[in-house]
Amino acid sequence: MSDSDLNITFGVLGVICFLTLGLWFRSRTRLVKSTAENSPIQGDPKDRIVMYDIKKMQMPPGDQSLRVTVFVSKLEAWLRFAHLPYRIERSATLKGAPKGQVPYITHGKTVVADTTFIIKYLTATYAKDLTHSDLQLPDPEQHALATACLAVIEEKLLYDLAYHRFVVESGWRQVQYMSGKFPWWVRPFTMRAMRVSIHNRIYLQGTARHSQHDVNVLVRTHLECLSTILGNKPFLLGQNPSEADASLFGILDQFVYGCMVSREMKEMIQHFPNLCQFTERIRDRFFPETLEDMPDTARQDSIGKVA
């Protein structure tokens, strides 16, 4: 090969490397902008509610949790508190999700995403009907307390759950059961990509920057806070459930009845009997059909230590 050929070859390689580096740098520095439209405020009460969830996955042996996704459990619990009829549709992709996540609903021709805005939309749409439901209709002071509870649950406890699923090894081993229905040749890559993506998100949020011991200190603090607010009441705000109760149930159901958390998390929740009983109370009252086929030993394993 002549010197001119070598120069051309190195020149082409240099351009390729430069372009590759440029694309990598652009991907790292590009601002991600939302393309979501404003959430609708109110709809027609005559329309039907359809809630969308991801396709059912293979779960670890003994897992009795209501849903894989805590926010799907939250919304379904709220719909039952509100006595609003609904249907669940499952999909293997998030193609129809306006914000790239579940749950979302269709209500007639209207699509609403994110449980906070879904509940606001349904509350405005069915305002008259909700006065005859089990829902707590909070006064301004109760609304402020519920908002504070939601912040602890969805900005703190949610990441505690994610940490004990995707960072702690004993939790991650349980999560890997979900890959059972994937083709064998994509399982390692799919699960690795999932773990890295969520682990990095937890790190950026801050929880995964701590040692496991320090994370567990924070978990106990968050659980103690919610346990103190609940006290001996049936629900966080009193005798009737609210959105905050639906959100708390969505996460605690994973701790009490689920298997996709670490052993440490399962043990920690047992130190808060009223939170365990709160979870069982909602299952018994609003999801009795989910307990009919549950073995008695499974229920005793979940709540026996706090009886």
Side-chain angles (χ1 to χ4, degrees):
M1 183 178 290
S2 65
D3 290 344
S4 60
D5 291 336
L6 285 174
N7 289 336
I8 292 172
T9 301
F10 284 123
V12 171
L13 290 174
V15 170
I16 293 173
C17 290
F18 178 79
L19 291 175
T20 302
L21 182 62
L23 290 172
W24 177 85
F25 181 78
R26 184 169 181 263
S27 68
R28 290 288 180 172
T29 57
R30 181 173 59 91
L31 295 175
V32 179
K33 296 182 180 180
S34 172
T35 58
E37 298 179 355
N38 293 340
S39 297
I41 298 174
Q42 188 173 350
D44 186 344
K46 296 178 182 178
D47 288 332
R48 295 183 178 182
I49 302 169
V50 180
M51 179 174 70
Y52 291 83
D53 189 10
I54 58 174
K55 190 175 181 180
K56 195 170 184 179
M57 298 183 178
Q58 181 172 311
M59 302 299 287
D63 189 285
Q64 302 289 342
S65 59
L66 185 64
R67 306 290 176 206
V68 176
T69 308
V70 297
F71 285 109
V72 174
S73 296
K74 170 191 172 179
L75 180 57
E76 189 169 7
W78 187 90
L79 287 168
R80 297 207 177 193
F81 298 165
H83 298 174
L84 295 178
Y86 63 94
R87 188 177 85 250
I88 297 180
E89 293 284 347
R90 292 184 172 85
S91 173
T93 69
L94 296 173
K95 186 177 180 180
K99 298 182 181 179
Q101 59 189 9
V102 291
Y104 65 97
I105 67 165
T106 56
H107 188 240
K109 295 182 179 180
T110 303
V111 182
V112 194
D114 190 289
T115 56
T116 298
F117 291 101
I118 293 171
I119 290 173
K120 286 181 180 295
Y121 170 85
L122 294 176
T123 299
T125 302
Y126 296 97
K128 293 182 180 180
D129 297 329
L130 296 185
T131 58
H132 305 293
S133 70
D134 285 312
L135 272 174
Q136 176 78 27
L137 302 177
D139 59 34
E141 184 176 348
Q142 289 177 322
H143 179 73
L145 176 61
T147 303
C149 288
L150 282 168
V152 174
I153 297 164
E154 298 183 3
E155 301 298 331
K156 298 294 184 180
L157 201 59
L158 176 65
Y159 284 95
D160 297 338
L161 170 63
Y163 180 91
H164 279 269
R165 272 185 172 177
F166 294 95
V167 179
V168 179
E169 288 299 326
S170 61
W172 174 242
R173 284 195 295 271
Q174 298 297 315
V175 173
Q176 291 185 86
Y177 276 96
M178 290 197 305
S179 68
K181 292 186 178 181
F182 296 169
W184 65 268
W185 48 274
V186 302
R187 289 178 195 173
F189 307 104
T190 303
M191 298 307 289
R192 175 66 180 175
M194 178 194 294
R195 188 181 196 187
V196 169
S197 174
I198 298 178
H199 183 284
N200 290 346
R201 195 182 309 171
I202 301 169
Y203 183 85
L204 289 173
Q205 180 267 345
T207 299
R209 295 174 186 265
H210 302 298
S211 68
Q212 185 173 334
H213 172 272
D214 287 354
V215 171
N216 289 344
V217 170
L218 295 175
V219 174
R220 292 188 189 95
T221 301
H222 302 150
L223 291 173
E224 184 176 5
C225 169
L226 294 164
S227 175
T228 301
I229 292 172
L230 179 62
N232 295 321
K233 303 187 299 294
F235 302 102
L236 290 169
L237 300 184
Q239 297 301 312
N240 294 307
S242 64
E243 179 185 353
D245 294 286
S247 184
L248 181 58
F249 168 75
I251 293 181
L252 292 185
D253 187 65
Q254 297 291 330
F255 294 171
V256 177
Y257 289 104
C259 291
M260 287 200 299
V261 292
S262 68
R263 291 189 300 272
E264 293 90 339
M265 183 64 85
K266 297 285 286 184
E267 291 171 359
M268 275 189 281
I269 192 62
Q270 301 296 340
H271 292 287
F272 300 93
N274 63 339
L275 294 180
C276 295
Q277 292 159 3
F278 164 89
T279 311
E280 184 195 11
R281 185 180 304 118
I282 291 180
R283 274 292 192 104
D284 280 339
R285 181 172 169 182
F286 297 101
F287 297 93
E289 76 283 0
T290 66
L291 301 177
E292 292 175 359
D293 298 327
M294 188 184 297
D296 291 339
T297 53
R299 297 191 66 186
Q300 290 170 1
D301 288 343
S302 299
I303 62 174
K305 294 182 182 179
V306 299

